[in-house]
């Protein structure tokens, strides 16, 4: 050891060895921390998707039940009673509708939704496109967010009803924007202390329409994750607000440089004393 300390370039070698070790360690910290934060965002994105799927599952159950009743001519004049029970057991749904020949013939609850009765969906090309998608998929399909006939903004999911081998119409559910945001566990900004959120829906001839219109976050940068949901042609985006992987790496890297300098200076001082 004393022989090494007496060498002319001992301090330089110590600096090089320590700097190499600390910077390699810094790079490993960079990769580990970045992956950890990405996994956080990915998991949160999955949680958002699961919460949406929970509401969609309720919607599918409600619309498919109504469709079966109509197809077998069992609903008759009991729409209000059935719809009331469905809303009681499906907390995220705001209204239930029946659409026959593209015209809304029933809505529950009727109070506040009177304007929807008799509304012909063919008067809006965007409605027609989304309804055709529902028919072609032969399953529940969501449209929105858009301005609802009864006022406000929301989503409508429609399920095709086939009676006597022909398209009778659609059973539908309405989820208002505020209810949809509530099921996500968020507020109207789409931002909480940890994450930025966005849910986007594609409409005909338009780019994806954002649910949180005031949230202009760039999800193409930083630690973010994106998922696609075909049932509503939605994209779910989540981004970490304050990633720390880079700052932690820089702090460790600078600390490594300082430690390397200190050790090399100590070696140099020791060598000078031995001389």
């Amino acid at each position: 050891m004393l022989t090494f300390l007496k060498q002319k370039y001992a301090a330089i070698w110590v600096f090089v060895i320590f700097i190499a070790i600390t910077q390699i360690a810094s790079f490993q910290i960079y990769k580990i921390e970045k992956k950890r934060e990405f996994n956080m965002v990915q998991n949160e994105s999955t949680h958002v998707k699961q919460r949406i799927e929970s509401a969609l599952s309720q919607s599918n159950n409600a619309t498919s039940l109504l469709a079966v009743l109509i197809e077998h001519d069992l609903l008759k004049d009991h729409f209000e009673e059935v719809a009331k029970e469905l809303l009681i057991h499906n907390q995220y749904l705001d209204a239930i509708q029946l659409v026959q020949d593209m015209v809304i013939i029933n809505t529950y609850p009727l109070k506040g939704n009177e304007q929807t009765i008799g509304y012909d969906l063919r008067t809006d090309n965007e409605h027609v496109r989304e309804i055709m998608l529902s028919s072609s998929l032969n399953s529940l399909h969501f449209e929105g967010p858009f301005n609802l006939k009864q006022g406000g903004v929301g989503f409508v999911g429609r399920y095709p009803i086939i009676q006597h081998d022909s398209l009778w119409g659609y059973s539908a559910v309405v989820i208002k924007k505020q209810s949809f945001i509530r099921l996500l566990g968020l507020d109207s900004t789409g931002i909480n202390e940890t994450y930025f959120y966005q849910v986007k829906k594609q409409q005909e001839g338009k780019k994806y329409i954002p649910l949180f219109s005031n949230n202009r976050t760039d999800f193409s940068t930083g630690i973010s994750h994106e998922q696609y949901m075909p049932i509503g042609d939605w994209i779910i985006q989540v981004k970490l607000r304050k990633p720390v992987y880079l700052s932690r790496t820089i702090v460790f890297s600078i600390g490594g440089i300082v430690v390397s300098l200190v050790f090399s200076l100590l070696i140099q001082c020791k060598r000078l004393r031995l001389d």
Side-chain angles (χ1 to χ4, degrees), residues 40-87:
M40 284 175 53
V41 172
Q42 187 177 39
N43 290 337
E44 181 62 19
S45 175
T46 299
H47 290 157
V48 171
K49 183 179 179 182
Q50 289 172 345
R51 288 194 286 268
I52 294 176
E53 286 175 340
S54 174
L56 299 189
S57 176
Q58 293 184 5
S59 303
N60 190 68
N61 293 338
T63 53
S64 60
L65 175 60
L66 281 175
V68 168
L69 293 176
I70 292 289
E71 288 166 4
H72 294 84
D73 199 25
L74 297 174
L75 189 62
K76 300 186 183 298
D77 297 326
H78 302 294
F79 170 78
E80 185 172 335
E81 297 98 303
V82 173
K84 181 179 180 180
E85 284 300 312
L86 288 173
L87 286 187

Side-chain angles (χ1 to χ4, degrees), residues 51-199:
R51 288 194 286 268
I52 294 176
E53 286 175 340
S54 174
L56 299 189
S57 176
Q58 293 184 5
S59 303
N60 190 68
N61 293 338
T63 53
S64 60
L65 175 60
L66 281 175
V68 168
L69 293 176
I70 292 289
E71 288 166 4
H72 294 84
D73 199 25
L74 297 174
L75 189 62
K76 300 186 183 298
D77 297 326
H78 302 294
F79 170 78
E80 185 172 335
E81 297 98 303
V82 173
K84 181 179 180 180
E85 284 300 312
L86 288 173
L87 286 187
I88 290 174
H89 294 93
N90 296 277
Q91 58 179 323
Y92 295 122
L93 306 184
D94 291 295
I96 293 178
Q97 298 177 333
L98 283 180
V99 181
Q100 184 176 17
D101 296 328
M102 302 289 277
V103 176
I104 299 174
I105 61 171
N106 291 104
T107 298
Y108 182 87
L110 184 59
K111 185 177 181 180
N113 295 305
E114 294 88 351
Q115 294 184 49
T116 63
I117 303 301
Y119 177 59
D120 191 336
L121 298 173
R122 287 168 292 200
T123 59
D124 191 316
N125 290 332
E126 289 186 5
H127 291 328
V128 173
R129 172 186 178 271
E130 298 295 331
I131 289 174
M132 290 303 100
L133 277 173
S134 176
S135 298
S136 63
L137 295 170
N138 196 30
S139 62
L140 179 67
H141 181 77
F142 272 85
E143 178 186 3
F146 64 91
N147 292 322
L148 300 170
K149 185 68 175 177
Q150 61 268 46
V153 176
F155 301 86
V156 175
R158 302 183 184 91
Y159 189 99
I161 300 174
I162 307 299
Q163 189 181 62
H164 307 308
D165 297 324
S166 62
L167 182 64
W168 181 91
Y170 303 86
S171 54
V173 291
V174 178
I175 304 177
K176 293 182 178 179
K177 180 179 178 179
Q178 56 267 36
S179 299
F180 191 82
I181 291 174
R182 189 177 71 250
L183 78 87
L184 297 180
L186 304 173
D187 60 23
S188 60
T189 65
I191 302 170
N192 62 21
E193 292 183 359
T194 310
Y195 302 104
F196 296 103
Y197 300 84
Q198 190 59 269
V199 178

